[in-house]
């Protein structure tokens, strides 16, 4: 149910869910591959963010978190 709800959310800052299901009792989500380092790896690779860049990223994250709310989804 959660995967179906997540797949309905379209937003430029949310990775789309292409498919979900169950294989031999193991649930899965198939999502677009996003190349690049993980959030945990980014500081070591790129160093500290400039304050303006950090604020821009936070604005993008806040918009992505708000997108499901616009479709009456609670996360």
């Amino acid at each position: 149910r959660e995967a179906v709800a997540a797949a309905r959310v379209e937003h430029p800052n949310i990775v789309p869910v292409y498919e979900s299901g169950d294989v031999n009792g193991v649930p899965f989500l198939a999502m677009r591959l996003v190349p690049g380092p993980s959030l945990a790896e980014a500081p070591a690779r790129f160093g500290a963010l400039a304050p303006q860049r950090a604020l821009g990223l936070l604005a993008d994250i806040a918009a992505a978190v708000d997108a499901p709310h616009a479709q009456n989804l609670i996360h």
Side-chain angles (χ1 to χ4, degrees):
R1 198 171 68 201
E2 290 176 26
V4 170
R8 290 192 327 235
V9 178
E10 290 189 33
H11 189 275
N13 299 329
I14 297 177
V15 179
V17 175
Y18 293 133
E19 186 178 355
S20 65
D22 183 285
V23 175
N24 298 324
V26 178
F28 74 89
L29 288 176
M31 303 173 79
R32 177 184 299 157
L33 174 63
V34 179
S38 71
L39 187 57
E41 297 167 336
R45 189 165 172 188
F46 301 112
L49 293 174
Q52 286 302 106
R53 176 73 174 135
L55 288 173
L57 289 173
L58 286 173
D60 289 345
I61 292 166
V65 169
D66 192 47
H69 295 181
Q71 295 185 19
N72 296 316
L73 296 174
I74 298 171
H75 52 91

